Amino acid sequence: HVQLVESGGGSVQAGGSLRLSCAAPGYRYDTYCMGWFRQAPGKAREGIAVIDSDGDTAYAESMKDRFTISVDNAKNTLYLQMNSLKPEDTAMYICAARPGSCYGLVEGYFGFWGQGTQVTVS
């Protein structure tokens, strides 16, 4: 069972930036597909980006110009750099993992989830 722990959320003004982190002590990210999702109150969870063990990435079309997913395998840490934040980006941001390859931004493919970190943009 992979335990994922997110950090880096907080409150920021519109136009600002945040970098989220997701750590999984004891596990090697280079054997997993890692992803970021978010869920706003009253809305369905939506996929943001995924990154596979080769470093290949895929993004939701609406966020690819402002958000960047990356992995530091030496630190077993997943990141999400978010720039030019908007109030509509306010949500709980959650990282997810699945062994092996990525198959897109489909939450059903991911078996391991963190608790999330709240991002509020005003």
Side-chain angles (χ1 to χ4, degrees):
H1 181 76
V2 181
Q3 285 191 309
L4 303 172
V5 181
E6 301 94 335
S7 61
S11 296
V12 63
Q13 291 188 335
S17 298
L18 282 174
R19 189 177 77 157
L20 308 182
S21 300
C22 175
Y27 289 88
R28 293 171 57 107
Y29 277 178
D30 60 3
T31 62
Y32 286 80
C33 169
M34 304 298 301
W36 284 101
F37 292 76
R38 70 182 185 184
Q39 188 164 20
K43 294 188 176 181
R45 186 173 295 179
E46 63 175 332
I48 300 170
V50 294
I51 184 167
D52 69 13
S53 57
D54 293 326
D56 294 325
T57 59
Y59 291 86
E61 189 68 23
S62 63
M63 287 176 267
K64 67 177 184 178
D65 293 332
R66 298 185 296 121
F67 293 0
T68 303
I69 190 172
S70 62
V71 168
D72 184 333
N73 288 319
K75 296 181 179 180
N76 276 352
T77 302
L78 174 73
Y79 300 101
L80 183 68
Q81 178 67 43
M82 306 187 295
N83 299 325
S84 302
L85 284 163
K86 306 174 182 178
E88 50 264 45
D89 294 318
T90 295
M92 183 70 74
Y93 284 71
I94 309 159
C95 69
R98 69 178 305 277
S101 303
C102 289
Y103 295 99
L105 294 165
V106 180
E107 64 176 291
Y109 289 151
F110 290 85
F112 303 107
W113 294 85
Q115 294 297 309
T117 185
Q118 178 68 37
V119 172
T120 303
V121 185
S122 59

